[in-house]
């Protein structure tokens, strides 16, 4: 028998989490259902309508933590790069139930939506009875199953910066075409802007690697090599760029060897650079 609480407002949910911090949040439950943890009590969040909206402001596309993958795929505000990842999650039944908050809260580097959030530089809004705070996703993920989330906090919203939406490349490598957990996953986004001379230069580039380490890997210090360059200038430095990634990719063993993952990561990085004209 499953025990727990079923709040109907976010305020009520946060009050319950403050009073009973050991409660395990539960929305779609696509991971929790298979864990079989009879010793825990749950905080059922699937009646919180305020967490089920996709909205936008001047700077961000805001996805509530209770938004399902199916809803996001159909929503015109959700960027195509995110939809490309979501359509490869499991099967329709899982996508109908699985949520953005759950994918984040699971703390896995294999989480398909989280990889795109890294590439876009997403912010995660969390809340408690003491107020809300917003954390960059790369700081929110501290390691495998380790999150910057206090016992009394809940994940409320994912914020995708509009300024970071540009040409992209996404690929998921799994053991089969459906119901596959990533062996290696990649997402990269290129954004450009006009410089003082009116030339199009690279503002940011974000190669991100999922399912190959304890957390999603992104290396801002390497990305800066291309900042302010035209595509043509960046292409001349492509070899040193790729070599730097080859040196930085320290990968874990898993369903496949670290050597396999490393080679696939480099292949996908090359495919991304080809796709964005570098």
């Amino acid at each position: 028998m499953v025990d727990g609480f079923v709040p109907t407002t976010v305020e009520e949910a946060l009050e319950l989490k403050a009073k009973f911090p050991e409660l395990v949040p539960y929305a779609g439950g696509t991971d929790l259902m298979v864990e079989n943890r009879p010793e825990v009590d749950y905080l059922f969040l699937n009646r919180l309508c305020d967490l089920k909206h996709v909205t936008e402001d001047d700077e961000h596309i805001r996805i509530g933590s209770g938004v399902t993958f199916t809803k996001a795929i159909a929503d015109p505000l959700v960027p195509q790069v995110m939809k490309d990842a979501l359509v490869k999650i499991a099967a329709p039944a899982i996508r109908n139930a699985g949520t953005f908050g759950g994918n984040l809260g699971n703390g896995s580097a294999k989480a398909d939506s989280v990889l795109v959030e890294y590439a876009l530089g997403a912010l995660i809004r969390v809340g408690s009875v003491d107020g809300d705070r917003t954390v960059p996703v790369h700081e929110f993920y501290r390691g495998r199953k380790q999150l910057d989330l206090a016992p009394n906090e809940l994940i409320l919203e994912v914020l995708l910066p509009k300024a970071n939406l540009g040409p992209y490349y996404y690929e998921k490598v799994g053991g089969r075409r459906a119901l596959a957990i990533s062996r290696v996953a990649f997402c990269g986004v290129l954004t450009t802007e006009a410089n003082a001379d009116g030339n199009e230069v690279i503002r940011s580039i974000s190669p991100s690697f999922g399912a190959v380490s304890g957390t999603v890997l992104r290396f801002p210090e390497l990305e800066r090599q291309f900042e302010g360059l035209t595509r043509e200038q960046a292409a001349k430095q492509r070899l040193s760029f790729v070599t730097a990634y080859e040196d930085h990719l320290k990968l874990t063993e898993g369903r496949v060897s670290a050597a396999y993952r490393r080679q696939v990561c480099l292949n996908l990085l090359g495919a991304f650079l080809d796709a964005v004209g570098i």
Side-chain angles (χ1 to χ4, degrees):
M1 178 178 179
V2 177
D3 295 317
F5 297 88
V6 188
T8 56
T9 67
V10 174
E11 292 75 18
E12 183 184 358
L14 294 176
E15 289 171 2
L16 286 166
K17 201 71 170 76
K19 187 175 182 180
F20 307 107
E22 72 280 0
L23 290 175
V24 176
Y26 188 116
T30 56
D31 284 310
L32 292 176
M33 284 188 292
V34 299
E35 290 184 359
N36 188 23
R37 299 166 65 186
E39 76 284 0
V40 305
D41 291 329
Y42 293 94
L43 183 63
F44 294 93
L45 304 176
N46 44 15
R47 293 189 184 180
L48 303 185
C49 295
D50 286 347
L51 301 184
K52 296 183 179 183
H53 299 300
V54 179
T55 60
E56 65 176 330
D57 57 30
D58 291 342
E59 296 183 358
H60 299 99
I61 296 166
R62 310 175 73 102
I63 304 175
S65 60
V67 171
T68 66
F69 304 133
T70 297
K71 177 178 173 63
I73 291 167
D75 196 295
L77 290 178
V78 175
Q80 189 60 45
V81 60
M82 179 63 80
K83 293 181 180 183
D84 285 0
L86 300 182
V87 296
K88 293 189 176 183
I89 293 178
I94 299 297
R95 295 195 291 269
N96 289 344
T99 64
F100 277 77
N103 216 209
L104 269 167
N106 196 31
S108 171
K110 298 179 176 68
D112 299 274
S113 66
V114 176
L115 172 63
V116 178
E117 290 160 16
Y118 262 78
L120 293 178
L123 305 173
I124 310 303
R125 185 169 70 90
V126 302
S128 71
V129 293
D130 299 320
D132 297 357
R133 62 188 180 95
T134 303
V135 189
V137 67
H138 69 275
E139 295 179 8
F140 187 72
Y141 257 49
R142 292 177 168 173
R144 186 178 183 276
K145 302 293 184 180
Q146 299 175 24
L147 303 175
D148 181 12
L149 189 68
N152 68 330
E153 290 182 319
L154 293 173
I155 300 169
L156 301 179
E157 203 171 31
V158 176
L159 282 66
L160 305 180
K162 291 180 177 180
N164 293 348
L165 298 176
Y168 70 88
Y169 180 86
Y170 171 83
E171 188 63 62
K172 174 177 178 175
V173 179
R176 49 186 180 265
R177 294 180 63 87
L179 290 168
I181 297 174
S182 298
R183 290 179 173 173
V184 180
F186 178 91
C187 184
V189 181
L190 179 78
T191 60
T192 61
E193 62 186 3
N195 64 10
D197 298 324
N199 297 317
E200 184 189 39
V201 297
I202 295 169
R203 181 174 64 81
S204 66
I205 188 169
S206 61
S208 305
F209 306 86
V212 295
S213 187
T215 186
V216 176
L217 297 181
R218 183 178 168 184
F219 304 104
E221 68 276 17
L222 302 185
E223 297 168 12
R224 286 191 281 272
Q225 179 178 333
F226 279 176
E227 290 179 7
L229 303 183
T230 65
R231 283 184 170 90
E232 292 76 16
Q233 290 169 334
K236 293 178 181 178
Q237 297 187 26
R238 173 170 168 157
L239 179 58
S240 63
F241 187 77
V242 173
T243 300
Y245 273 87
E246 187 173 6
D247 293 339
H248 274 69
L249 287 170
K250 310 300 182 185
L251 310 182
T252 57
E253 299 282 348
R255 290 177 172 82
V256 293
S257 70
Y260 168 87
R261 285 176 162 173
R262 180 187 183 86
Q263 187 58 58
V264 173
C265 284
L266 294 173
N267 292 347
L268 293 173
L269 175 60
F272 166 53
L273 296 176
D274 289 342
V276 297
I278 295 177

